[in-house]
Amino acid sequence: VGYLGPRGTFCELAARKHFPATNISFISFFTIPEIFKAVVSRKIDYGVVPAENSIEGSVNITLDLLYRTEISICGEVEERVKHNLIVKPGTKYSDIKTILSHQQALAQCRNFLEKEFPKARLIEVSSTALAVTRIKRLKNAAAIGTEISAKLYKMKVAARDIGNGSTNFTRFLVLSTKDSKPTGHDKTSLIFASKNIPGALYRSLEPFARMNINLSKIESRPIREKPWEYIFFMDFEGHREDPKCREALEELKKISVFFKILGSYPRSI
Amino acid sequence: VGYLGPRGTFCELAARKHFPATNISFISFFTIPEIFKAVVSRKIDYGVVPAENSIEGSVNITLDLLYRTEISICGEVEERVKHNLIVKPGTKYSDIKTILSHQQALAQCRNFLEKEFPKARLIEVSSTALAVTRIKRLKNAAAIGTEISAKLYKMKVAARDIGNGSTNFTRFLVLSTKDSKPTGHDKTSLIFASKNIPGALYRSLEPFARMNINLSKIESRPIREKPWEYIFFMDFEGHREDPKCREALEELKKISVFFKILGSYPRSI
């Protein structure tokens, strides 16, 4: 199972939660595209990648790769995000002048940072775990990261759970070469594009409304090759093999100019 | 007019394009929230902020602040994004080991970077212009940024237009305390939330389909306080004072649990 590293990220926590068996090898990857590649080339059986955060929104590169790659979603995991202020042992709270973290973590701790460290210099790095490794070599610096990464890199937690709200979750997707069998409590993800005419999206949603299928998410995204034309990422409740879902999907496919089922998989909540 | 600085960003180019008059003061701001605050407190008349990129998708913090702030959109500007590899005079192309830029710019030059500098260390900083100022003090480093910033900071362009595709545009919004008068070629932006039941979004779009109003964008975003409940950001063609748009808006308002018009303004294309 591959995850977005380095060790100690929320993505590792999510991967270990979804695959609790003891005989599994977990492999840390540097970037999300590398995880997609490793799944497609079957170097790993599963890849776990961040897809969406309840505060910051979608992870753009994950959506883009889902559109461009022949890959399936076979599961989802949600992880409550707890941010902590982490320092090198010996660093005083009042001495902190520089704070490193992932851009989303810095954004999610904005209230705490503005109140406690209004003058600190904020530096964006590519992951919260990398931020924790970096402060080893820096003076008067702190990182925002997970408790597990503080332990792993022998750093100290200076302030706990410093996020803006208590309702901060990240949704991770489990990727594989095929999706999952029906469990009776499933979700399906797909991508479609409708013609760029009035009422097109409305007509695309009609089969789902008629069959009483609940949409859990819809998001329009610009198409890389055609600025300001959009594709839609949609999640709905149900499995693509359920008769009414299959019928709605068939109807949507007929009226779409692009159509791709990403997979059906057990819902995490 | 405030823009997202430092000097030489695409945001500055967009601001100067939208306000070509010669008697205007342009002020550089460090962050997007500061621009919103300065507009609301009337320290500036207009603020220009990035909202969406044709490759990377929405700028999350801008959407979040539009939801939470009493502010209006009074215009939009599109700017073609041309990325360049920029070095300190004297740095050889073959010596480049570290490349700095904004995360979106690094992502948008992924193909070039993987081909030309597969082993380079990529460092994310908060803007392309900041990346250009940073390489002054670094050895064997390059930045990805605008031509204007290379000139401004006396650096050299080592490779031109290195982006993944030729169709890379960023859409900027012009913010003010009120929106714009009808011109006959307008767009309206709004935020709404429908009940979380099957068919709710479908019914929300019905008035627009019936009145033949073209949606140019729809995007669902998680609500900060309620994980996995969504609000919708929608753009449609027309002015909120046009009779059929006014009627569709009235109907949508009636069936929404949240409803906010962000403004009507002249379409940029």
Side-chain angles (χ1 to χ4, degrees), chain B residues 7-55:
Chain B
R7 291 210 51 199
T9 56
F10 289 110
C11 194
E12 181 181 358
L13 294 180
R16 290 183 184 272
K17 184 169 161 185
H18 194 77
F19 296 101
T22 50
N23 59 343
I24 288 169
S25 304
F26 291 91
I27 304 172
S28 157
F29 283 80
F30 280 109
T31 66
I32 294 173
E34 287 170 59
I35 296 174
F36 275 77
K37 269 188 206 163
V39 170
V40 170
S41 64
R42 296 172 186 250
K43 277 184 195 147
I44 53 178
D45 296 313
Y46 299 97
V48 180
V49 295
E52 193 179 2
N53 176 273
S54 62
I55 295 182

Side-chain angles (χ1 to χ4, degrees), chain A residues 145-246:
Chain A
T146 61
E147 212 170 331
I148 189 176
S149 70
K151 259 188 217 151
L152 203 60
Y153 301 111
K154 301 194 168 62
M155 300 285 127
K156 225 188 80 190
V157 173
R160 237 166 258 283
D161 212 358
I162 61 172
N164 295 338
S166 56
T167 52
N168 184 354
F169 289 82
T170 295
R171 180 175 169 234
F172 296 87
L173 298 177
V174 186
L175 306 172
S176 187
T177 49
K178 58 179 203 288
D179 64 350
S180 298
K181 293 263 164 270
T183 67
H185 189 259
D186 301 297
K187 186 187 267 187
T188 298
S189 296
L190 74 146
I191 305 175
F192 70 93
S194 44
K195 287 182 198 130
N196 191 14
I197 52 169
L201 176 61
Y202 174 70
R203 273 185 291 280
S204 298
L205 300 184
E206 194 275 332
F208 296 88
R210 180 163 27 91
M211 310 225 192
N212 228 31
I213 296 169
N214 202 15
L215 306 186
S216 43
K217 176 184 166 154
I218 186 162
E219 180 167 343
S220 71
R221 308 274 307 172
I223 300 178
R224 182 183 286 268
E225 295 77 19
K226 300 174 181 170
W228 314 136
E229 287 194 34
Y230 290 89
I231 50 172
F232 295 93
F233 284 79
M234 187 165 101
D235 292 349
F236 63 81
E237 292 174 10
H239 195 283
R240 64 182 168 80
E241 292 178 7
D242 301 345
K244 69 175 189 174
C245 295
R246 189 194 297 217

Side-chain angles (χ1 to χ4, degrees), chain A residues 52-58 60-61 68 78 103-104 110 121 124-126 134 164 167 169 171 196-199 201-202 205-206 209 212-214 216-225 227-228 230 232 269, chain B residues 52-58 60-61 68 78 103-104 110 121 124-126 134 164 167 169 171 196-199 201-202 205-206 209 212-214 216-225 227-228 230 232 269:
Chain A
E52 192 179 3
N53 176 272
S54 61
I55 295 183
E56 297 298 320
S58 291
N60 297 322
I61 189 161
R68 291 193 289 143
E78 262 151 52
Q103 174 250 322
Q104 289 209 343
R110 216 177 290 146
R121 196 169 145 218
E124 296 176 6
V125 296
S126 58
R134 285 273 175 87
N164 295 338
T167 52
F169 289 82
R171 180 175 169 234
N196 191 14
I197 52 169
L201 176 61
Y202 174 70
L205 300 184
E206 194 275 332
N212 228 31
I213 296 169
N214 202 15
S216 43
K217 176 184 166 154
I218 186 162
E219 180 167 343
S220 71
R221 308 274 307 172
I223 300 178
R224 182 183 286 268
E225 295 77 19
W228 314 136
Y230 290 89
F232 295 93
I269 44 168
Chain B
E52 193 179 2
N53 176 273
S54 62
I55 295 182
E56 297 298 321
S58 290
N60 297 324
I61 190 161
R68 291 194 289 141
E78 263 152 49
Q103 174 252 321
Q104 289 208 343
R110 217 178 288 145
R121 194 167 147 224
E124 297 175 5
V125 296
S126 57
R134 283 275 176 86
N164 296 339
T167 51
F169 288 84
R171 180 175 169 235
N196 191 14
I197 52 169
L201 176 61
Y202 174 70
L205 301 183
E206 194 276 331
N212 228 31
I213 296 169
N214 201 15
S216 44
K217 175 184 167 154
I218 185 162
E219 179 166 344
S220 70
R221 307 275 306 173
I223 300 178
R224 183 183 286 267
E225 294 78 17
W228 315 136
Y230 292 89
F232 295 93
I269 44 169

Side-chain angles (χ1 to χ4, degrees), chain B residues 94-135:
Chain B
S94 56
D95 286 342
I96 296 171
K97 293 207 167 52
T98 307
I99 299 171
L100 292 83
S101 199
H102 187 270
Q103 174 252 321
Q104 289 208 343
L106 290 170
Q108 288 161 14
C109 299
R110 217 178 288 145
N111 299 349
F112 173 87
L113 295 175
E114 281 178 8
K115 190 168 162 273
E116 298 283 314
F117 301 99
K119 288 175 180 172
R121 194 167 147 224
L122 306 181
I123 298 183
E124 297 175 5
V125 296
S126 57
S127 75
T128 56
L130 183 64
V132 178
T133 67
R134 283 275 176 86
I135 57 170

Side-chain angles (χ1 to χ4, degrees), chain A residues 8 25 81 107 109 130 139 152 176 186 207 221 228 249 265:
Chain A
S25 304
V81 176
C109 298
L130 182 65
K139 232 186 129 180
L152 203 60
S176 187
D186 301 297
R221 308 274 307 172
W228 314 136
L249 286 168
Y265 47 90

Side-chain angles (χ1 to χ4, degrees), chain A residues 1-4 11 14-16 18-21 23-29 31-32 34-49 71-77 173-181 264-266:
Chain A
V1 175
Y3 64 88
L4 185 63
C11 194
R16 289 183 185 271
H18 193 77
F19 295 101
N23 60 343
I24 289 169
S25 304
F26 290 91
I27 303 172
S28 157
F29 284 80
T31 66
I32 294 174
E34 287 171 58
I35 297 175
F36 274 77
K37 270 188 206 163
V39 170
V40 170
S41 64
R42 297 175 186 247
K43 277 185 195 147
I44 53 177
D45 296 313
Y46 298 97
V48 180
V49 296
I71 204 162
S72 293
I73 302 173
C74 68
E76 63 172 356
V77 202
L173 298 177
V174 186
L175 306 172
S176 187
T177 49
K178 58 179 203 288
D179 64 350
S180 298
K181 293 263 164 270
S264 297
Y265 47 90

Side-chain angles (χ1 to χ4, degrees), chain B residues 226-261:
Chain B
K226 299 174 182 171
W228 315 136
E229 288 194 33
Y230 292 89
I231 50 174
F232 295 93
F233 283 79
M234 189 166 101
D235 291 350
F236 63 81
E237 292 174 10
H239 195 282
R240 65 182 167 79
E241 291 177 9
D242 300 345
K244 68 175 190 175
C245 296
R246 190 194 296 217
E247 203 178 321
L249 286 168
E250 277 305 316
E251 288 187 37
L252 174 58
K253 188 176 178 178
K254 266 184 217 150
I255 55 173
S256 298
V257 294
F258 178 86
F259 182 84
K260 180 184 180 184
I261 297 175

